[in-house]
Amino acid sequence: MQAFYQRADAIIELANSQLSPDSHSGQVGASLLYAAARYSASVASIGFVKGDDLRKEKEEIIDFYAKQYRQMLSDNLEDYAQNFDKYVQLNK
C-alpha cells in the first residue's frame, strides 16, 4: 500500500511542478484528469483482441472507473474537510 501512495504523491508533485503564472491549478487539474482518463483507457484495453470487444464493454468500464473515482474523491474531500486548517496552511 505504501508504494500506491508513493506513486500518487509523485504524480501530485509532478502536477504541482506544472503550476505557473500561465497555468493555474484548475488548468493543471484538468490536464491531470485528462491524463488519468487517457491512462485508464489504455489500461482497460489490455487483454482485448479487437476494438469492437472493448467498445462492447465500454459502459461497464466507465461505471467501474467512475465508481472508483467517486469513492477516492469522497474520501479525499472528507480528509481535506477534517484537516482543513492544516492543509490551508500548507497552501499559503
Side-chain angles (χ1 to χ4, degrees):
M1 198 63 171
Q2 183 179 4
F4 172 87
Y5 290 113
Q6 288 173 334
R7 286 188 301 270
D9 287 344
I11 293 166
I12 292 167
E13 187 175 326
L14 176 62
N16 284 334
S17 76
Q18 300 295 307
L19 297 171
S20 73
D22 296 325
S23 58
H24 58 72
S25 60
Q27 292 167 319
V28 173
S31 296
L32 184 58
L33 194 58
Y34 176 82
R38 185 81 178 162
Y39 192 82
S40 295
S42 174
V43 170
S45 72
I46 294 170
F48 286 95
V49 176
K50 298 187 296 187
D52 285 343
D53 294 335
L54 175 62
R55 188 174 291 114
K56 289 175 188 172
E57 300 293 326
K58 179 181 170 184
E59 288 306 315
E60 289 82 4
I61 293 167
I62 291 170
D63 289 344
F64 171 79
Y65 279 101
K67 182 179 178 183
Q68 295 297 312
Y69 179 79
R70 183 178 183 84
Q71 184 61 56
M72 290 177 188
L73 179 60
S74 177
D75 292 347
N76 280 281
L77 285 170
E78 184 60 32
D79 176 56
Y80 201 94
Q82 288 178 359
N83 297 287
F84 190 80
D85 292 337
K86 175 182 156 187
Y87 292 161
V88 168
Q89 289 297 328
L90 291 175
N91 294 324
K92 288 185 181 179

